[in-house]
Amino acid sequence: MSHSPADPRRALTLRDVSEASGVSEMTVSRVLRNRGDVSDATREKVLEAARTLGYVPNKIAGALASQRVNLVGVIIPSLSNLVFPEVLSGISKELEDTGLQPVIGVTSYSPEKEESVLYEMLSWRPSGLIIAGLDHTAAARTMLENAGIPIVEIMDVDGTGVDSVVGISHRRAGLHMAEAIVAAGYRRIGFLGTKVTQDYRAQKRLDGFKEGLAAAGLSLSDEEYYSGGSALLKGREMTEAILKRSPDLDFLYYSNDMIGAGGLLWCLEHGYDVPGRIGLAGFNGVDLLDGLPRRLATMDACRREIGARAAQIISGRGQSGQIGGEVIELEPVLQLGDTIRKA
Amino acid sequence: MSHSPADPRRALTLRDVSEASGVSEMTVSRVLRNRGDVSDATREKVLEAARTLGYVPNKIAGALASQRVNLVGVIIPSLSNLVFPEVLSGISKELEDTGLQPVIGVTSYSPEKEESVLYEMLSWRPSGLIIAGLDHTAAARTMLENAGIPIVEIMDVDGTGVDSVVGISHRRAGLHMAEAIVAAGYRRIGFLGTKVTQDYRAQKRLDGFKEGLAAAGLSLSDEEYYSGGSALLKGREMTEAILKRSPDLDFLYYSNDMIGAGGLLWCLEHGYDVPGRIGLAGFNGVDLLDGLPRRLATMDACRREIGARAAQIISGRGQSGQIGGEVIELEPVLQLGDTIRKA
DNA sequence: TTGCTGCCCGTTACCGCTAACATAAATCGG
DNA sequence: CCGATTTATGTTAGCGGTAACGGGCAGCAA
């Protein structure tokens, strides 16, 4: 374990490398960033010195001096939702060879937490920001407006964005699901969802769903809500509860696939004829569904593509040459699966 | 939208706030960090000015000047594994009110990617680093050794760490599972796992498992591997394949709960007597299992606690007053569930 | 009054790096 | 063989904060 003469545990700086290789700090900096003209001889010398010393550049200093930061902030409500890791994977794949790096912040569906996470992120002066949802506190919105960097609000297009927006219309997703259910002949429809009132998108889906029912002269026959715990198990419990209370229901609409899957398993075990006697549908299109005994009807939320398109906008590789304020509405695809009877 | 006289889109600095409130930059800095003595009158004045201007401090400059960074790097192989989001949640909860903030990097199980992610992270000079696994490239190990910050390697204790280590012994986890299976009277045992050879921990579990079988004079009767795709579906397909090839197997050990769940569903659908005719076990204790028709035998990997303990070490709140080189081995609990017959 | 203390605030010198400009040596056409 | 480029390197001045220290002023005991 070699160490510099002065202090054995001092962090290395450009100066150490420059002294070790006998050139100026500036030249070392140029070599390490592949910038400007440097002769092959000195380049080798410098790289050699940096390698043997184990030098790691200090990006904090670099960013301050160059006024450039290769970070992209990504703010999402949760990591356990399964949806967001997929969005993230779309983002990081797209950012892969742009030199940009995502930094993740999690809000736990709390607007106050979102505000503080956003503040913290902006204080690192990222070169772009991707944030889930269109609904923020007034302070958060102001920060976004004044940040002076590209902002992309994702997941949702039902509302007004600060800058660019990439997502689907959750209202219309709910609406279309309702239409498909009604078209298939179901009439006594129950809804099962999360209690979290801060999940604006689930709320919008429900609103659209009710709207779709209303257009056919129908309304929700019963509802059931949960919070916390294993979603699959909750799906079972809620399904049992709602069917006990309202045995005449002929359709159950779940706010996400996980509880829908639980409900599906419960119905099959209890001998319900699915989709004859009762129909089921969820939301999201998680690939978990492929392994279930029967494929749950769902609607793909285009998670990976949302991530990819958002990242493209930040990296300036958006298909439109637009400079900002871009709005991309993706179309969620209804997958009937095996739990809605064919009309 | 108010703007400063010079440039409407220039980012705000301490100087702007100091001019707006008529005090020095230093005083503004003190107010915003709650440090040193400032009179209530000026404090109010400064906060007021900062608020109306919408000033967001520049942590890059702050970190450079103070040589302190409130970031903790966290490097994990994947976000879709379900295990890691849980570890992360343990970490962020524990870090919540320490002023420290986790920054996540993902390696996709690639040692080269790990190396570059690590380099990138260290270049931001975080005040601590949590990284999954004990197995790294030589260059990565050297970086870790010379980083000069607390390092915690998590998940795994079968090997030698650079600094602190928090995890379970995957070798012994596999070993104990084998012992339990043998004790329950199963003899013709198959293994189903991922093809990813870079998942060192899965490999160690398998090694321990084989060791446990060998101690009883047994060995694996058949094996089946997969990569990519929906784990639940793969679990089904692999189960079908292995049982077709080796119909006399009486136990299936899966390298994770997800494929185990798929296998369980397949066996139940095809009328297998579980756990009489055939036993099943997975690994991890994901709470998904609670919703399955039968509870899969598994072994809890203590994910949240691993995250929490690692974070404690970084934040200096570890229970031992130790300064580094701490090794915490947690004990995974075997949950027999309903898929191993009671001896 | 003198001197000391504690409170409040300002000044100065960096932190480690890079943009922009300056300089020195090598190349070159006419 | 000279001025005009080109190539390779060095010098200077910050980037936007903060540590460390300095100093004015009020309060107070001697």
Coordinates of all heavy atoms in Angstrom, one line a residue, chain B residues 93-125:
Chain B
K93 N -34.9 3.6 5.0 CA -35.6 3.9 6.3 C -34.6 4.2 7.4 O -34.7 5.2 8.2 CB -36.4 2.7 6.7 CG -37.2 2.9 7.9 CD -38.5 2.2 7.9 CE -39.4 2.5 9.1 NZ -40.2 1.3 9.4
E94 N -33.5 3.4 7.4 CA -32.5 3.6 8.5 C -31.8 5.0 8.3 O -31.4 5.6 9.3 CB -31.5 2.5 8.4 CG -30.6 2.4 9.6 CD -31.4 2.1 10.9 OE1 -32.4 1.3 10.8 OE2 -31.0 2.6 12.0
L95 N -31.6 5.4 7.1 CA -30.8 6.6 6.8 C -31.7 7.8 7.0 O -31.2 9.0 7.0 CB -30.3 6.5 5.4 CG -28.8 6.3 5.2 CD1 -28.2 5.5 6.3 CD2 -28.5 5.7 3.8
E96 N -33.0 7.6 7.0 CA -34.0 8.7 7.0 C -33.6 10.0 7.7 O -33.5 11.0 7.1 CB -35.3 8.2 7.5 CG -36.5 9.1 7.2 CD -37.5 8.4 6.4 OE1 -37.3 8.2 5.2 OE2 -38.5 7.9 6.9
D97 N -33.3 9.9 9.0 CA -33.1 11.1 9.7 C -31.6 11.2 10.2 O -31.3 11.7 11.2 CB -34.0 11.3 10.9 CG -34.2 9.9 11.6 OD1 -33.3 9.1 11.6 OD2 -35.4 9.7 12.0
T98 N -30.7 10.8 9.3 CA -29.3 11.0 9.6 C -28.7 12.1 8.7 O -27.6 12.4 8.8 CB -28.5 9.7 9.3 OG1 -28.7 9.4 7.9 CG2 -29.0 8.5 10.0
G99 N -29.5 12.6 7.8 CA -29.0 13.6 6.9 C -28.3 12.9 5.7 O -27.9 13.6 4.8
L100 N -28.2 11.6 5.7 CA -27.5 10.9 4.6 C -28.5 10.5 3.6 O -29.7 10.2 3.9 CB -26.8 9.6 5.2 CG -25.3 9.7 5.5 CD1 -24.9 11.1 5.8 CD2 -24.9 8.7 6.5
Q101 N -28.1 10.4 2.4 CA -29.0 10.0 1.3 C -28.4 8.9 0.4 O -27.3 9.1 0.0 CB -29.3 11.2 0.5 CG -30.8 11.6 0.4 CD -31.2 12.0 -1.0 OE1 -30.5 12.7 -1.6 NE2 -32.4 11.5 -1.4
P102 N -29.2 7.9 0.2 CA -28.6 6.8 -0.7 C -28.7 7.2 -2.2 O -29.6 7.8 -2.6 CB -29.6 5.6 -0.4 CG -30.9 6.3 0.1 CD -30.5 7.6 0.7
V103 N -27.7 6.8 -2.9 CA -27.6 6.9 -4.3 C -27.4 5.5 -4.9 O -26.5 4.8 -4.5 CB -26.5 7.8 -4.8 CG1 -26.4 7.9 -6.3 CG2 -26.7 9.2 -4.2
I104 N -28.3 5.1 -5.8 CA -28.3 3.7 -6.2 C -27.6 3.5 -7.6 O -27.7 4.3 -8.5 CB -29.8 3.3 -6.4 CG1 -30.5 3.4 -5.0 CG2 -29.9 1.8 -6.9 CD1 -32.0 3.4 -5.2
G105 N -26.9 2.5 -7.7 CA -26.2 2.1 -8.9 C -26.6 0.6 -9.2 O -26.6 -0.2 -8.3
V106 N -26.8 0.3 -10.4 CA -27.2 -1.1 -10.8 C -26.2 -1.7 -11.7 O -25.8 -1.1 -12.7 CB -28.6 -1.1 -11.4 CG1 -29.0 -2.5 -11.9 CG2 -29.6 -0.5 -10.5
T107 N -25.8 -3.0 -11.5 CA -24.7 -3.6 -12.3 C -25.2 -4.6 -13.2 O -24.4 -5.1 -14.0 CB -23.7 -4.3 -11.3 OG1 -24.4 -5.4 -10.7 CG2 -23.3 -3.4 -10.2
S108 N -26.5 -5.0 -13.2 CA -27.0 -6.1 -14.0 C -26.1 -7.4 -13.9 O -25.9 -8.1 -14.9 CB -27.0 -5.7 -15.5 OG -27.6 -4.4 -15.6
Y109 N -25.6 -7.7 -12.8 CA -24.8 -8.9 -12.5 C -23.6 -8.9 -13.3 O -23.0 -10.0 -13.5 CB -25.7 -10.1 -12.8 CG -26.7 -10.4 -11.7 CD1 -28.0 -10.1 -11.9 CD2 -26.4 -11.0 -10.5 CE1 -29.0 -10.3 -10.9 CE2 -27.3 -11.2 -9.5 CZ -28.6 -10.9 -9.7 OH -29.6 -11.1 -8.8
S110 N -23.1 -7.8 -13.9 CA -21.9 -7.8 -14.7 C -20.7 -7.2 -13.9 O -20.8 -6.1 -13.4 CB -22.1 -7.0 -15.9 OG -20.9 -6.4 -16.3
P111 N -19.7 -8.0 -13.7 CA -18.5 -7.5 -12.9 C -17.9 -6.2 -13.6 O -17.5 -5.3 -12.8 CB -17.5 -8.6 -13.0 CG -18.4 -9.8 -13.2 CD -19.5 -9.4 -14.1
E112 N -17.9 -6.1 -14.9 CA -17.3 -5.0 -15.5 C -18.2 -3.7 -15.3 O -17.7 -2.7 -15.0 CB -17.2 -5.2 -17.0 CG -16.2 -6.3 -17.5 CD -16.8 -7.7 -17.1 OE1 -18.0 -7.9 -17.3 OE2 -15.9 -8.5 -16.7
K113 N -19.5 -3.9 -15.4 CA -20.4 -2.9 -15.1 C -20.3 -2.4 -13.6 O -20.3 -1.2 -13.3 CB -21.9 -3.3 -15.4 CG -22.9 -2.2 -15.3 CD -23.2 -1.6 -16.6 CE -24.1 -0.4 -16.5 NZ -25.5 -0.8 -16.1
E114 N -20.1 -3.4 -12.8 CA -19.9 -3.1 -11.3 C -18.7 -2.2 -11.2 O -18.7 -1.2 -10.5 CB -19.7 -4.3 -10.5 CG -19.5 -4.0 -9.0 CD -19.2 -5.3 -8.2 OE1 -20.2 -5.8 -7.7 OE2 -18.0 -5.6 -8.0
E115 N -17.6 -2.5 -11.9 CA -16.4 -1.8 -11.8 C -16.6 -0.3 -12.2 O -16.2 0.6 -11.5 CB -15.3 -2.4 -12.7 CG -13.9 -2.0 -12.4 CD -12.9 -2.7 -13.2 OE1 -13.0 -4.0 -13.2 OE2 -12.2 -2.1 -13.9
S116 N -17.3 -0.1 -13.3 CA -17.5 1.2 -13.8 C -18.5 2.0 -13.0 O -18.3 3.2 -12.7 CB -17.9 1.2 -15.3 OG -19.2 0.7 -15.4
V117 N -19.5 1.3 -12.5 CA -20.5 2.0 -11.6 C -19.8 2.5 -10.3 O -20.0 3.6 -9.8 CB -21.7 1.1 -11.2 CG1 -22.5 1.7 -10.1 CG2 -22.5 0.9 -12.5
L118 N -18.9 1.6 -9.8 CA -18.2 1.9 -8.6 C -17.3 3.1 -8.8 O -17.2 4.0 -8.0 CB -17.3 0.7 -8.2 CG -16.4 0.8 -7.0 CD1 -17.2 1.2 -5.8 CD2 -15.6 -0.5 -6.8
Y119 N -16.6 3.1 -9.9 CA -15.7 4.2 -10.3 C -16.4 5.5 -10.3 O -16.1 6.5 -9.7 CB -15.0 3.9 -11.6 CG -14.0 4.9 -12.1 CD1 -12.7 4.8 -11.5 CD2 -14.2 5.9 -13.0 CE1 -11.7 5.7 -12.0 CE2 -13.2 6.7 -13.4 CZ -12.0 6.6 -12.9 OH -11.0 7.5 -13.3
E120 N -17.6 5.5 -11.0 CA -18.4 6.7 -11.1 C -18.9 7.1 -9.7 O -18.9 8.3 -9.4 CB -19.6 6.3 -12.0 CG -20.8 7.3 -12.1 CD -20.5 8.4 -13.0 OE1 -19.5 8.3 -13.8 OE2 -21.2 9.4 -13.0
M121 N -19.3 6.2 -8.9 CA -19.8 6.5 -7.6 C -18.7 7.2 -6.7 O -18.9 8.2 -6.1 CB -20.2 5.3 -6.9 CG -21.6 4.8 -7.3 SD -22.7 4.6 -5.9 CE -24.2 4.7 -6.8
L122 N -17.5 6.5 -6.7 CA -16.4 7.0 -5.9 C -16.0 8.4 -6.3 O -15.5 9.2 -5.6 CB -15.2 6.1 -5.9 CG -15.5 4.8 -5.2 CD1 -14.2 3.9 -5.3 CD2 -15.8 5.0 -3.8
S123 N -16.2 8.7 -7.6 CA -15.8 10.0 -8.1 C -16.7 11.1 -7.5 O -16.4 12.3 -7.6 CB -15.8 10.1 -9.6 OG -17.1 10.1 -10.1
W124 N -17.8 10.8 -6.9 CA -18.6 11.7 -6.2 C -18.3 11.8 -4.8 O -19.0 12.5 -4.0 CB -20.1 11.5 -6.4 CG -20.6 11.8 -7.8 CD1 -20.8 11.0 -8.9 CD2 -20.9 13.1 -8.3 NE1 -21.1 11.7 -10.0 CE2 -21.2 13.0 -9.7 CE3 -20.8 14.4 -7.7 CZ2 -21.5 14.1 -10.4 CZ3 -21.2 15.5 -8.5 CH2 -21.5 15.3 -9.9
R125 N -17.3 11.1 -4.4 CA -16.8 11.1 -3.0 C -17.9 11.0 -1.9 O -18.1 11.8 -1.1 CB -16.1 12.4 -2.7 CG -14.9 12.7 -3.6 CD -13.7 11.8 -3.3 NE -12.5 12.2 -4.0 CZ -12.2 11.7 -5.2 NH1 -12.9 10.8 -5.8 NH2 -11.0 12.0 -5.8

